[in-house]
Amino acid sequence: MTFLHVAAPGYEHHRVPLGIGESAPRLSWTVETDLPGWRQRAYEIELSDGTATGPVESGRSVLVGWPGTELASRERRGARVRVHGQDGSVSDWSPWSWAEAGLLEAADWRAVPAAPPRELLGAPDGPAPLLRRDFTVRGPVDRARLYVTAYGLHETEINGTVVGDEVLAPGWTSYSHRLRYRTHDVTGLLREGGNAVGATLADGWYRGRVGFEGGRTRVYGDRTALIAQLEITYTDGTTDVVATDGSWRCAPGPVTAASLYDGERHDARLLPPGWSRPGFDDASWLPADALPYDPARLVAPAGPPVRRVETLAPAEVTVSPSGRTILDFGQNVSGRLRIRVQGPAGHTVTLRHAEVLQDGELCVRPLRAADATDVYTLRGGGVEEWEPRFTLHGFRYAEVGGWPGAFDPACVQAVVCHTDMERTGWFDSSDGDLNRLHDNVLWSMRGNFVDVPTDCPQRDERLGWTGDIQVFAPTSAFLYGCAGMLASWLADLAAEQAELGTVPVYVPWIQLLFPTEPVAAWGDAAVVVPWTLYERYGEEGLLRTQYPSMKAWVDQCAGRAGDGRLWDTGFQLGDWLDPAAPPDRPFEARTDRALVATACLARSARLLAQAAAVLGEEEDHRRYGGLADQVGAAFEAEYVSPSGRLVGDSQTAYALALQFDLIAGAGRRARAGRRLVELVRESGHRIGTGFVGTPLVCDALVAAGAVDDAYHLLMQRECPSWLYPVTMGATTVWERWDSMLPDGTVNPGDMTSFNHYALGAVADWLHRTVAGLAPAEPGYRRILVRPLPGGGLRHASAAHLTPYGRAEVRWRRAAGRFELEVVVPAGATATVVLPSGPGSRIEVGAGRHRFEDAFRDAADDPVAERPGFFGPPDPQRDGAAGLAVQDA
Ligand code: BGC
């Protein structure tokens, strides 16, 4: 009995398409079938307004253009899909899915920012005032929507109930360019007659302290404000709008201080009971000020918000040498604690946080100027539950002070908070430490995808460093559906770039110590991140949107490189934090910074040329292809000897030259590859790369034919290596190879985070090469299955929810045999290359496939000292070395 089902279509990258900002949302669907090799020949879309496309001859099912008239603000429309297979099969109609537009025009906004009067604001990161108003619901309600955002952070309530489940709303965008609002269905919170709406407003990124070396406050303004528009549609079709303006009333609340870095202070005795319920007497409250503003800055979200995603119970409770109660949650996270406590009114409980212990006490030095301390003062008279709302900490350990009575660990939980993305990627192998490394990468992504892709979640920093996401983007796009979140961040990147004249080193930009100069590998995020989202999600539309930003970046860097095409001037961060860099001078890596910059320019020019081809920009395609060639030639002339040795004799220099294709001639490339292998062996198979070389070095070794050395490097447990932190009990990826030194002390450097994803970029290699699941065409329309077994692994597997559905690769080997199982989702195909070599390249379609091959692992044979089994990947053969540009 065969089946052919289409899932209800999804809209853009929305998990819940309510209040979307796209008036013509693109639709995507997946097909499930047991028809072998199924491919779509045509699709039909029907919209709830009667629009019907009829069969459209096309294999596309990912981000397909909206077939109807544009949605108006507030309009709700449904869509369903039916597909026709190349084999003549026809599915039933999918279920309907519905999208609702948000407020698409500036003119839709009646709300103006309602700002608490200045006397209710303290110094930045001070008290969080309340504001409220009553309103009347005239009759039976058909639907009600709250469109809401803030200057600062808000938590909004209607009739005593918190609206939605967002954390740190409205998140962080480049507020001076884009301020995100969210749409909530609040129909169920209203009742006929008297109602009330209220909000707590904290400073957050808007007015609070942000940044290192003292940071800055009031970056975006000195007045926090709520912008809220409640639209009530009655069953008789009439509407009412309750919007923020000068009629709202304000008063101090229980939050006496709230800082993203320092923590929150909450005095429960100060909460005015019933303040967000109707009929509350606010006569003594002060009127809000209505601030002028431009609603054109308000944008709908492209991805999900930050939420409470998981809670953890303490794994262990200990008493430290100094007598303090310390909780170990067993996992380094971003989040905060929730406590349940009972005690006398006015009693205070203090919660401190840290990522590591030293000498049995919280080690807070790595937090630098982030106090990470929450303080709760009890109301008294019963059990009280509390979780701070306007702060976030990076921690595994917490110290509980002042607990009234005997401490019960069941009364404390860690609440993990991050952008609520869909999990899409999994990896497993026969090596427990390798699996833990992968878990650590996953947790570092979770710890740092907090609306903005940040460097770290714990110290006085937490900025959207462009270099970090530049190297981590491929890994993140495998693990979670992050296209929406990153598309929003890229819009900020482009906005900052347009204003500053360059891509800054972090986005959103705040003027701190760094100059606004182009910095290689960091600013390259402008090109690499959109290209990665195209590769991984088939996001051609985003490539189009970001194209001017991509071009402006490459043009600017080419200008820096000048006619000589070598980028060897200006401020550079280089191969940041390679293991040779002194603790206090992370930029003093082994690899010449100008070499890094020129290599990065060559690659970005090449990717831009490929993007131009995808977008049909023929002239640009030629122009930037030519630029890439020139920069590559200049690189060679300057840095590569006639025989293929590099001037910068480092793992990163060779990895860059090989992976960015900067050495002409097979013989010279082979020579460079041999030298990389030598360097890796000379180092005793210890890693020698920083942020720039780390994502490349294993691929470069494979390209050099040295699969065994790549595995040896990967499986190294001595410091510095990927697995060394695992042996030290790490539960996230560290900023430095040795954030914790082998003697258990914390690295003395001023920059020592235990939760930084950049060096975890190797996970992409685990997915693509160890397990063997890689995109060969955009959005995994064609999958390259080319596992390279090694390292003594007995099995490995990966699974990924591609835009076409779930793909799986799993292999195991025993007694010289290699068994491979591949699942290809409907609508996609796969090219399978077995370990015994290119001759075994096999094309397969949708379905489950099994293969067998002969294989012997060098790691099983302790005396074996030989080069790898395979030649370098051949793009013509494998199609995937740098993702082939898809022909239309
Ligand atoms: C951040 C890094 C960042 C670097 C560049 C550090 O403070 O944590 O991840 O990329 O600065 O300067």
Side-chain angles (χ1 to χ4, degrees):
M1 174 76 187
T2 61
F3 65 94
L4 178 63
H5 297 309
V6 197
Y11 295 77
E12 296 285 331
H13 301 290
H14 300 293
R15 292 191 79 177
V16 181
L18 173 65
I20 66 174
E22 299 87 2
S23 56
R26 294 166 299 168
L27 299 172
S28 307
W29 55 87
T30 54
V31 172
E32 273 200 58
T33 181
D34 56 0
L35 292 167
W38 190 88
R39 297 212 81 180
Q40 180 181 298
R41 193 204 80 229
Y43 65 79
E44 296 175 69
I45 301 174
E46 214 174 84
L47 303 183
S48 56
D49 64 359
T51 304
T53 61
V56 178
E57 294 294 320
S58 164
R60 285 197 72 155
S61 57
V62 176
L63 299 168
V64 173
W66 180 247
T69 55
E70 293 198 350
L71 295 172
S73 291
R74 310 174 182 83
E75 190 185 342
R76 215 175 149 68
R77 239 185 269 172
R80 61 177 190 164
V81 184
R82 178 159 73 178
V83 295
H84 301 249
Q86 287 178 354
D87 55 6
S89 59
V90 185
S91 73
D92 285 336
W93 283 99
S94 75
W96 289 94
S97 58
W98 294 81
E100 182 177 313
L103 301 182
L104 303 176
E105 312 286 337
D108 293 322
W109 286 93
R110 292 248 292 274
V112 296
R118 286 183 186 279
E119 55 258 56
L120 295 183
L121 301 177
D125 294 329
L130 307 176
L131 63 173
R132 75 176 303 283
R133 67 159 283 178
D134 287 298
F135 62 96
T136 303
V137 171
R138 291 185 283 110
V141 174
D142 176 44
R143 70 176 198 179
R145 297 288 181 265
L146 179 71
Y147 304 96
V148 62
T149 185
Y151 295 170
L153 303 175
H154 75 93
E155 188 182 86
T156 297
E157 303 178 20
I158 291 180
N159 298 330
T161 301
V162 173
V163 175
D165 53 5
E166 264 177 85
V167 166
L168 303 180
W172 191 15
T173 46
S174 298
Y175 295 139
S176 43
H177 303 285
R178 302 170 65 248
L179 174 59
R180 216 191 278 127
Y181 70 92
R182 213 165 270 274
T183 304
H184 298 277
D185 179 354
V186 294
T187 317
L189 296 181
L190 303 186
R191 54 178 201 213
E192 273 185 66
N195 289 258
V197 53
T200 310
L201 265 185
D203 290 348
W205 296 280
Y206 189 87
R207 183 176 183 266
R209 179 164 58 100
V210 202
F212 46 89
E213 299 280 348
R216 280 184 55 201
T217 58
R218 304 179 171 96
V219 172
Y220 301 96
D222 189 33
R223 304 282 304 269
T224 51
L226 183 73
I227 303 171
Q229 184 159 314
L230 171 62
E231 300 194 354
I232 307 166
T233 307
Y234 296 99
T235 48
D236 66 5
T238 61
T239 57
D240 278 334
V241 177
V242 179
T244 44
D245 57 21
S247 73
W248 289 52
R249 317 272 303 166
C250 310
V255 177
T256 57
S259 152
L260 288 165
Y261 295 160
D262 293 336
E264 188 164 317
R265 293 174 167 266
H266 185 113
D267 186 341
R269 296 169 304 176
L270 303 179
L271 181 74
W275 71 279
S276 69
R277 293 179 188 279
F280 175 85
D281 179 9
D282 61 15
S284 64
W285 288 34
L286 300 170
D289 292 323
L291 303 182
Y293 87 125
D294 177 9
R297 250 192 305 152
L298 300 180
V299 294
V306 177
R307 291 200 174 97
R308 299 169 183 86
V309 177
E310 186 177 345
T311 54
L312 302 175
E316 203 183 340
V317 181
T318 50
V319 177
S320 75
S322 68
R324 298 157 202 252
T325 303
I326 295 190
L327 313 185
D328 175 1
F329 290 93
Q331 176 58 55
N332 199 22
V333 301
S334 74
R336 51 218 189 179
L337 300 183
R338 182 184 297 154
I339 60 170
R340 220 174 49 244
V341 59
Q342 186 163 12
H347 186 91
T348 288
V349 175
T350 303
L351 310 170
R352 299 173 67 228
H353 306 76
E355 295 188 295
V356 287
L357 302 180
Q358 194 162 296
D359 302 325
E361 308 282 349
L362 289 194
C363 180
V364 294
R365 180 174 56 80
L367 307 183
R368 297 194 311 219
D371 222 17
T373 302
D374 298 322
V375 179
Y376 181 71
T377 301
L378 277 70
R379 182 176 53 239
V383 175
E384 302 173 39
E385 198 172 290
W386 180 70
E387 174 194 331
R389 292 169 292 167
F390 305 108
T391 191
L392 206 66
H393 310 297
F395 67 101
R396 168 176 170 171
Y397 301 93
E399 182 186 298
V400 179
W403 196 265
F407 177 69
D408 175 4
C411 292
V412 183
Q413 284 180 320
V415 183
V416 180
C417 302
H418 55 76
T419 296
D420 191 13
M421 306 161 288
E422 182 186 13
R423 174 89 185 265
T424 55
W426 295 266
F427 171 84
D428 186 46
S429 78
S430 59
D431 188 284
D433 286 351
L434 195 60
N435 297 343
R436 183 66 234 192
L437 170 67
H438 191 266
D439 282 352
N440 292 358
V441 175
L442 188 86
W443 274 104
S444 279
M445 175 169 180
R446 298 180 66 179
N448 284 295
F449 273 55
V450 181
D451 208 41
V452 163
T454 60
D455 55 338
C456 58
Q458 73 299 84
R459 67 177 178 230
D460 53 343
E461 190 146 1
R462 317 183 196 181
L463 301 175
W465 283 95
T466 45
D468 304 42
I469 188 63
Q470 188 265 117
V471 299
F472 192 68
T475 299
S476 63
F478 184 88
L479 295 174
Y480 279 95
C482 54
M485 173 181 152
L486 291 179
S488 173
W489 181 77
L490 284 169
D492 284 334
L493 180 147
E496 302 283 22
Q497 180 187 14
E499 183 182 327
L500 299 166
T502 191
V503 178
V505 286
Y506 45 82
V507 171
W509 174 247
I510 305 162
Q511 184 66 57
L512 296 165
L513 298 177
F514 278 78
T516 44
E517 269 196 62
V519 175
W522 271 251
D524 286 299
V527 174
V528 176
V529 178
W531 180 258
T532 302
L533 300 181
Y534 168 67
E535 256 187 18
R536 305 300 173 108
Y537 299 108
E539 241 303 4
E540 202 176 306
L542 184 70
L543 216 48
R544 168 64 66 198
T545 309
Q546 294 302 125
Y547 191 64
S549 153
M550 298 166 77
K551 250 175 98 160
W553 168 254
V554 171
D555 287 344
Q556 184 186 29
C557 302
R560 290 285 161 134
D563 292 341
R565 295 302 187 219
L566 286 175
W567 186 4
D568 53 7
T569 54
F571 174 82
Q572 291 296 342
L573 292 167
D575 189 27
W576 188 254
L577 277 175
D578 87 4
D584 55 339
R585 293 198 300 286
F587 44 89
E588 282 184 14
R590 279 193 199 98
T591 311
D592 181 60
R593 274 172 267 170
L595 182 153
V596 171
T598 302
C600 287
L601 171 56
R603 181 185 48 162
S604 277
R606 184 71 64 205
L607 294 182
L608 179 58
Q610 292 180 11
V614 172
L615 299 175
E617 304 282 349
E618 283 311 320
E619 204 191 308
D620 281 358
H621 173 63
R622 277 191 298 279
R623 186 157 130 234
Y624 291 107
L627 174 65
D629 291 344
Q630 290 163 18
V631 176
F635 179 97
E636 269 205 283
E638 181 79 1
Y639 298 115
V640 189
S641 80
S643 71
R645 288 276 298 245
L646 273 164
V647 169
D649 199 30
S650 68
Q651 293 183 19
T652 291
Y654 284 96
L656 282 168
L658 288 166
Q659 289 312 105
F660 294 176
D661 201 12
L662 302 173
I663 305 176
R668 296 168 78 226
R669 265 201 310 277
R671 175 71 191 98
R674 282 199 303 279
R675 181 61 193 151
L676 172 62
V677 175
E678 271 164 33
L679 284 175
V680 167
R681 290 182 181 171
E682 279 166 19
S683 73
H685 290 96
R686 289 183 206 201
I687 193 80
T689 55
F691 278 26
V692 176
T694 295
L696 306 174
V697 66
C698 287
D699 282 306
L701 286 166
V702 170
V707 177
D708 297 344
D709 291 281
Y711 269 103
H712 208 139
L713 196 62
L714 176 71
M715 304 303 264
Q716 176 62 263
R717 280 154 172 90
E718 298 295 317
C719 184
S721 67
W722 281 291
L723 293 184
Y724 161 71
V726 172
T727 68
M728 296 295 283
T731 61
T732 37
V733 177
W734 297 347
E735 176 172 26
R736 299 171 180 271
W737 293 111
D738 58 352
S739 281
M740 183 176 284
L741 303 175
D743 66 4
T745 60
V746 173
N747 187 298
D750 187 33
M751 240 183 36
T752 302
S753 143
F754 290 86
N755 201 352
H756 247 69
Y757 50 58
L759 301 179
V762 70
D764 187 49
W765 193 76
L766 301 183
H767 308 143
R768 285 186 290 105
T769 307
V770 176
L773 173 47
E777 282 175 21
Y780 296 84
R781 187 173 170 76
R782 185 163 64 89
I783 300 166
L784 177 67
V785 177
R786 185 176 185 259
L788 298 185
L793 295 179
R794 292 184 311 284
H795 58 83
S797 60
H800 180 56
L801 294 183
T802 76
Y804 295 89
R806 186 177 167 97
E808 292 174 25
V809 176
R810 68 182 75 245
W811 59 258
R812 61 177 189 167
R813 60 173 192 87
R817 299 205 62 71
F818 178 83
E819 293 169 12
L820 175 67
E821 188 174 295
V822 179
V823 176
V824 181
T829 62
T831 300
V832 180
V833 184
L834 295 174
S836 58
S840 60
R841 176 195 168 100
I842 307 153
E843 304 292 337
V844 295
R848 186 177 294 269
H849 310 275
R850 291 194 178 81
F851 307 89
E852 280 197 20
D853 198 12
F855 177 77
R856 211 178 112 264
D857 190 332
D860 297 338
D861 176 1
V863 292
E865 186 59 64
R866 57 192 173 116
F869 302 96
F870 310 111
D874 170 352
Q876 259 177 355
R877 184 184 68 212
D878 306 331
L883 244 238
V885 175
Q886 197 183 14
D887 295 320

